[in-house]
Amino acid sequence: MIQNEYLQKWIEEMRTLCQPDSVQIITGTDEENQQLIQKLVDKKTFIPLKKRQNSYLARSNVDDVARVEDRTFICSNIKDDAGPTNNWAPPDEMRKKMEGLFKGSMRGRTMYVVPYCMGPLKSPWSRVACTITDSAYVVVNMRMMTRIGDPALQMLGNNDFVKCLHSVGKPLEKGQQDSTWPCNPKDTYIVHFPEKKEVWSFGSGYGGNALLNKKCFALRLATSMGRKEGWMAEHMLIIGVTNPQGEKKYFTGAFPSACGKTNLAMLTPTLPGWKVECVGDDIAWMHWGDDGRLWAINPEAGFFGVASGTSPKTNINALKTIEKNAFFANVALTEDGDVWWEGLTDVPPKHLIDWKGKDWTPESKEKAAHPNSRFTVSAKQCPVLDPNFEAPQGVPISGIIFGGRRSTTVPLLRQALSWQHGVFLGAGTSSETTAAAKGAVGELRHDPFSMLPFCGYNMADYFAFWLQQEKPERKMPPIFFVNWFLKDKDGKFIWPGFGDNIQAIKWMWDRIDNKKEAEKTALGFLPKKEEFPRGDELFAIRKEEWQKECDDLQNYFKTFGQKMPKELWDELGKLKVAFF
Ligand code: TSX
Ligand code: MN
C-alpha cells in the first residue's frame, strides 16, 4: 500500500524497535476516524457528551497536564546551536537513551502511521511529515489540527519529510488492563534533532508533548528549517481586518501565554462597521513574495485552545466554534452531560464532576476545570474564519503586532521607529505570570517574540535572522507593540480590552496608511493622548520605570553572550540615553 520505499523502511525500523501488536496506516477517512473514536470510548479515554453533538471529554493523568519544558531538548550537533534558552544533550547520547525508552514501548498496542501536511494541501509553503504514535487519542486530535492521510502521503518525498515518533510509554503485557490515560511522566522526554528533522517524544499523551505537529514541528523544527530556507516560523496569530469602507488588511500578532491570543484572533470589534476574521490563532509561517511583501499561512487546520476563561464576553466566536464536533481535555462535566470551566458562566453549576473525576460544588476549594484545560476543534467551524484561510499563497501582512502582559511601564500602544527597533521590541518582550502557569504569580518573565519555549535554535541567531529580513527590495511591514494590561493605582485595569482593542488596531491601520500623526518618543511612535480614553494613564512615560526596564534588559541581553547582535545593543543604548 505504501509505495514510498523510504517511508516503508522507517516504518519497519520503528516496528522492530517499538514492537507493537499491529500497525495501522492512517488514510484519513470518516469511517477510520469513527472507529478510533469508538475505541477511545470503549477504553473510557473518551466520555461522550450527551449535550454536545459528536463531542467528547478526556481526563488526563494528573501528572500529564501541560508541556514539560524541563524535559524538552534541542539535540543539535553543536551545543551552541541550541543556545542558552534550550536544554541540550549530545545527539548520539540522547538517541541511545531514547532508543532504550522506545524499545518494546508499544507492546500490546497498535502503532499508527499518520502522514500529514502542515499548511493548505496545495500550498508551496506547506510541509509534509509523518507521525508514528501508539495513541489513538493523538491520531483523532491530529485529524482536527492537521491535514492527515492519503493526500499527505502522496506528497511525501523520498527522504525529505519530517519524522515524528511518539509513544505514551506504557507497554501492555498480556491480559493487562489499560488505564484511561496511559502515560509515563517519570520518563517523559520531548527530543528534537533539527539536523535530521526528527522529533522523538516519550511518556506524555497531552497537547504539545504528544501532538508533535504543533510546537515540535511547526515551531521548533520549522524555525530551524526556515532559517536555512529563508522563511519564518512564528508563534503568531493571523487576522484579517476589514474597515467600514470594506478595505482589508492582514496582521500577525505574537503574545506570551495568558495575553488572550485566541481571543484577539476571533475578536468581535466594538467599533461600528469593523470586522475581524481569523486565519490562525497560534502559528504563522511567513515568506517574502515576489511583490516584496510578507505573506503568511497558518500551518494548522484547527484550534487547540485553552478552555478556562473562554466565555461569551471574552470570545463568543470560540464558543460557537466548539458547539459540536469538539474534543475537550480536563474540563468539568455537568450533570446533563455538557462541559464547564471557570469563567464560562457568571454563576457556576450547583454540581459538577471536576477534571479529576471527583464531585465538585461551588463550595469546593479546588478549580473544577484545570487552568490548562483545552478544546480541539476544526477551524472550519469558526464562524469568523477568513475566506483566505486556505489560500495557497497565504495572506499579505500589513503589520506585525507584539505584546506582553504588563501592569506598569509599557504603554497601551506604540509603533516601532524602524524594523531594527521593532526587532528590539520583540526581543525585549516580557510578561507577568498568571495563575494559569506554574510558579509565582505576577513575576516578570522574558519571552522574546513569545518564542522562548519554541525557538529550535540559538535565540541570539534568531534575533539576527529577524534583523536580516530587512532588505531594500522588500516592503517591511510596520511593527507595533501593545499592552492591554496596564493597571491604575487601585489595581484596576485601565483599558477595557477585548472588543475595544479594535481601537488600537484602527490606530495601526491609520499609521500604515500614513493618515495619522503620532508623537515620536524614545519608546516609539505613540498615539496622541487625547485620542484614547484615559490616554494620560495609557501613554504615561515614567522615567524611573524605564530606567529599571533598561537595567533589566541589559542583564537579559548579556545572557546571550557574544552572539547577541550589536544592533540590539545599539537600540538599548539609545533607550538608555533617553532615560539616564
Ligand atoms: O484576552 C484578553 N484580551 C484580548 C482580547 C481580545 N484578556 C483576557 C486575558 C486572559 C487570557 C484580557 N483581559 C484583555 C484583553 O484585551 N484585557 C484584560 C484585562 C481586563 C479584564 C476585565 C475587564 C477589563 C480588562 N473588565 C471587566 O472585568 C468588566
Ligand atoms: Mn501557543
Side-chain angles (χ1 to χ4, degrees):
M1 199 168 65
I2 288 185
Q3 274 125 34
N4 181 326
E5 276 172 38
Y6 186 84
L7 175 60
Q8 191 71 57
K9 188 159 158 274
W10 181 53
I11 294 170
E12 277 317 310
E13 278 170 20
M14 293 307 111
R15 185 217 285 268
T16 306
L17 176 65
C18 306
Q19 298 158 34
D21 280 10
S22 59
V23 177
Q24 183 178 346
I25 313 291
I26 294 299
T27 61
T29 63
D30 288 340
E31 304 90 275
E32 175 190 77
N33 187 50
Q34 276 313 313
Q35 280 165 13
L36 291 170
I37 287 175
Q38 191 54 51
K39 185 171 178 176
L40 289 162
V41 171
D42 292 344
K43 284 166 49 126
K44 299 193 162 57
T45 305
F46 263 172
I47 303 166
L49 293 165
K50 285 195 215 93
K51 285 283 271 193
R52 217 168 267 254
Q53 190 192 325
N54 194 30
S55 298
Y56 302 87
L57 163 65
R59 295 190 193 111
S60 80
N61 181 294
V62 295
D63 295 318
D64 190 19
V65 295
R67 287 186 298 100
V68 282
E69 289 178 13
D70 57 329
R71 298 297 190 93
T72 301
F73 286 77
I74 303 293
C75 294
S76 46
N77 294 338
I78 297 166
K79 183 177 184 187
D80 201 33
D81 286 342
T85 60
N86 285 309
N87 298 311
W88 180 86
D92 294 346
E93 214 171 89
M94 190 52 118
R95 191 168 288 265
K96 280 214 185 71
K97 181 193 179 82
M98 295 305 282
E99 280 172 353
L101 289 170
F102 273 94
K103 192 171 176 198
S105 72
M106 297 187 186
R107 278 200 308 272
R109 301 188 184 279
T110 302
M111 183 172 109
Y112 303 99
V113 178
V114 195
Y116 68 98
C117 177
M118 296 304 281
L121 283 173
K122 299 222 161 62
S123 169
W125 303 103
S126 294
R127 292 290 182 272
V128 277
C130 187
T131 284
I132 287 180
T133 177
D134 57 6
S135 165
Y137 178 78
V138 164
V139 180
V140 297
N141 273 271
M142 281 183 72
R143 193 168 186 271
M144 299 279 207
M145 298 304 298
T146 79
R147 284 93 172 164
I148 66 166
D150 283 342
L153 180 62
Q154 279 158 30
M155 290 165 75
L156 288 184
N158 252 16
N159 198 354
D160 194 29
F161 62 88
V162 170
K163 298 193 219 44
C164 305
L165 177 65
H166 169 254
S167 173
V168 294
K170 267 279 152 130
L172 289 170
E173 303 313 326
K174 284 240 153 50
Q176 188 185 339
Q177 161 96 47
D178 201 1
S179 42
T180 56
W181 188 275
C183 62
N184 188 344
K186 177 176 70 65
D187 282 326
T188 293
Y189 288 94
I190 292 91
V191 181
H192 307 71
F193 300 101
E195 286 95 350
K196 291 223 143 69
K197 292 194 253 186
E198 287 180 30
V199 185
W200 290 49
S201 166
F202 186 88
S204 168
Y206 204 83
N209 300 330
L211 303 169
L212 307 186
N213 48 281
K214 195 174 178 67
K215 305 303 189 182
C216 300
F217 171 20
L219 286 173
R220 295 193 196 100
L221 290 188
T223 46
S224 128
M225 291 162 68
R227 183 188 179 207
K228 285 193 197 92
E229 298 169 14
W231 51 280
M232 307 166 87
E234 299 298 334
H235 192 206
M236 287 179 170
L237 59 82
I238 312 169
I239 50 174
V241 182
T242 306
N243 73 0
Q245 288 71 48
E247 299 158 338
K248 189 161 191 179
K249 293 188 201 297
Y250 288 94
F251 293 81
T252 58
F255 295 83
S257 56
C259 289
K261 196 148 117 251
T262 303
N263 299 341
L264 187 59
M266 301 180 188
L267 193 81
T268 308
T270 52
L271 283 180
W274 288 77
K275 183 166 76 175
V276 171
E277 288 166 298
C278 178
V279 180
D281 79 326
D282 197 38
I283 301 175
W285 284 357
M286 307 197 292
H287 54 273
W288 298 93
D290 296 335
D291 57 357
R293 294 192 71 183
L294 184 62
W295 292 72
I297 63 163
N298 175 7
E300 302 195 280
F303 306 115
F304 181 68
V306 173
S308 286
T310 306
S311 77
K313 283 177 200 144
T314 62
N315 194 341
I316 185 68
N317 290 320
L319 291 182
K320 287 179 181 163
T321 309
I322 58 176
E323 265 170 10
K324 58 185 178 188
N325 309 319
F327 302 145
F328 297 89
N330 291 343
V331 301
L333 178 66
T334 66
E335 283 183 346
D336 59 352
D338 203 356
V339 290
W340 192 84
W341 48 78
E342 276 70 18
L344 178 60
T345 54
D346 290 338
V347 182
K350 292 206 163 54
H351 173 247
L352 294 164
I353 307 296
D354 71 11
W355 71 276
K356 292 177 178 169
K358 303 220 172 71
D359 285 300
W360 185 96
T361 64
E363 286 73 48
S364 301
K365 285 206 176 66
E366 289 184 43
K367 292 207 157 76
H370 190 278
N372 192 35
S373 59
R374 298 277 171 160
F375 53 77
T376 315
V377 70
S378 165
K380 292 272 161 68
Q381 296 190 172
C382 179
V384 292
L385 191 67
D386 193 83
N388 281 323
F389 170 65
E390 297 213 280
Q393 74 279 17
V395 295
I397 301 305
S398 297
I400 297 173
I401 309 170
F402 294 123
R405 187 184 188 109
R406 298 289 302 266
S407 53
T408 68
T409 318
V410 179
L412 171 71
L413 170 63
R414 67 196 139 128
Q415 180 187 355
L417 299 166
S418 64
W419 181 261
Q420 177 173 305
H421 182 235
V423 174
F424 170 71
L425 297 183
T429 299
S430 57
S431 207
E432 282 155 24
T433 54
T434 66
K438 61 178 183 203
V441 174
E443 200 184 308
L444 198 58
R445 291 246 182 92
H446 285 279
D447 190 354
F449 292 79
S450 309
M451 285 289 276
L452 188 63
F454 307 123
C455 184
Y457 60 96
N458 191 306
M459 186 66 86
D461 288 333
Y462 168 92
F463 296 158
F465 185 62
W466 262 84
L467 289 166
Q468 285 158 20
Q469 297 309 308
E470 189 179 24
K471 299 203 172 125
E473 69 271 22
R474 289 179 177 171
K475 196 174 165 3
M476 306 311 289
I479 296 175
F480 301 92
F481 198 101
V482 299
N483 171 25
W484 316 132
F485 300 95
L486 279 169
K487 286 182 177 172
D488 62 18
K489 284 185 235 70
D490 303 328
K492 296 236 162 62
F493 288 112
I494 301 170
W495 177 247
F498 302 99
D500 286 318
N501 292 339
I502 193 68
Q503 293 179 51
I505 295 173
K506 181 181 186 297
W507 186 84
M508 296 176 203
W509 182 297
D510 290 341
R511 288 293 299 167
I512 294 166
D513 282 354
N514 280 317
K515 283 193 294 210
K516 177 75 77 185
E517 297 261 316
E519 203 91 49
K520 191 174 179 183
T521 76
L523 301 183
F525 295 108
L526 263 70
K528 303 238 167 81
K529 289 175 179 175
E530 321 78 78
E531 293 180 20
F532 282 80
R534 300 184 73 175
D536 287 344
E537 294 160 273
L538 293 167
F539 302 110
I541 301 173
R542 296 189 180 84
K543 195 176 163 187
E544 322 74 58
E545 291 179 353
W546 278 97
Q547 287 176 348
K548 194 155 169 274
E549 191 80 3
C550 286
D551 288 341
D552 179 63
L553 276 174
Q554 174 155 339
N555 289 330
Y556 188 62
F557 282 5
K558 275 187 196 157
T559 65
F560 297 104
Q562 287 301 307
K563 282 200 174 212
M564 189 66 188
K566 173 187 167 295
E567 292 88 340
L568 299 185
W569 282 118
D570 289 349
E571 289 296 330
L572 180 59
K574 287 189 240 174
L575 200 59
K576 283 167 80 175
V577 165
F579 290 110
F580 283 92

